[in-house]
Amino acid sequence: MSRVVSLLLSCLVALTAAVLTAPAALAHNVLISSDPKDGAALETGPQSITLTFDQPVNAGERFNTISVLGPDGTHWEAAGEPTVRDNSVVFPVLPLGPAAEYTANYRVLSADGHPVSGQLKFTLTKAGTGTPAPTPAQAADAVAPAGDGGGVPIWVWIAGAALLLGGGVFFALRGGGGSKEDAGR
């Protein structure tokens, strides 16, 4: 009996040690610097925003996003994918407009597969000549063709699901379809 207790206590100590020493290995990316810096006051708007993390960042279409919001919620991020170089992500930015505070909300995919989100703010002290990006609704209107979108109507999916469900219930109640003579063998 004492051998079992000794084994259980040894396992408990080993598990506790593993849990207490693991958090550093399980950490996600942390933003270590940015250009422009959080809280910076700029006379001219940046052409891009660079975020540098403590670990590599995954590259890929739509993995890493940014929204640069100006006064009245206007968008100032440029279209296109960011450039990823090891630990840094460079997001293009449109020429800024009014002198005001701008907020950059970002989301990147860390090398361990977890998304990392955050924000930084900077102030433009002299008005620029830029115009904001179209709102998502304006961009969708410009790209979307007239009509119903050409997708499969919802009733087709509902009918297909009902048919599959009905067939499953039928075969389940029927008992698998084998005869009683087959079941006795």
Side-chain angles (χ1 to χ4, degrees):
M1 181 73 149
S2 66
R3 201 169 188 186
V4 173
V5 172
S6 176
L7 181 62
L8 287 175
L9 284 175
S10 297
C11 290
L12 183 62
V13 168
L15 181 63
T16 303
V19 169
L20 292 177
T21 59
L26 299 175
H28 302 302
N29 282 21
V30 174
L31 182 68
I32 56 175
S33 70
S34 66
D35 183 24
K37 295 200 178 301
D38 190 23
L42 310 170
E43 285 192 23
T44 59
Q47 293 180 352
S48 63
I49 295 176
T50 303
L51 305 175
T52 304
F53 295 88
D54 64 339
Q55 298 175 38
V57 175
N58 278 330
E61 189 173 335
R62 299 183 188 213
F63 280 174
N64 305 305
T65 59
I66 195 166
S67 63
V68 181
L69 301 175
D72 301 326
T74 52
H75 284 260
W76 298 88
E77 65 274 4
E81 290 295 315
T83 303
V84 176
R85 280 183 240 122
D86 297 324
N87 297 11
S88 296
V89 185
V90 180
F91 295 95
V93 177
L94 295 173
L96 299 181
E101 181 178 74
Y102 290 81
T103 303
N105 297 305
Y106 63 87
R107 180 179 181 274
V108 299
L109 187 64
S110 62
D112 67 0
H114 290 92
V116 177
S117 301
Q119 77 173 204
L120 60 98
K121 295 182 180 199
F122 60 91
T123 303
L124 185 64
T125 58
K126 290 185 181 178
T129 59
T131 56
T135 64
Q138 291 171 334
D141 289 345
V143 176
D148 63 1
V152 177
I154 189 72
W155 68 265
V156 173
W157 295 106
I158 294 171
L163 184 65
L164 285 173
L165 181 63
V169 169
F170 173 77
F171 284 111
L173 293 176
R174 195 166 162 232
S179 67
K180 292 183 180 180
E181 293 173 7
D182 291 340
R185 290 185 199 173

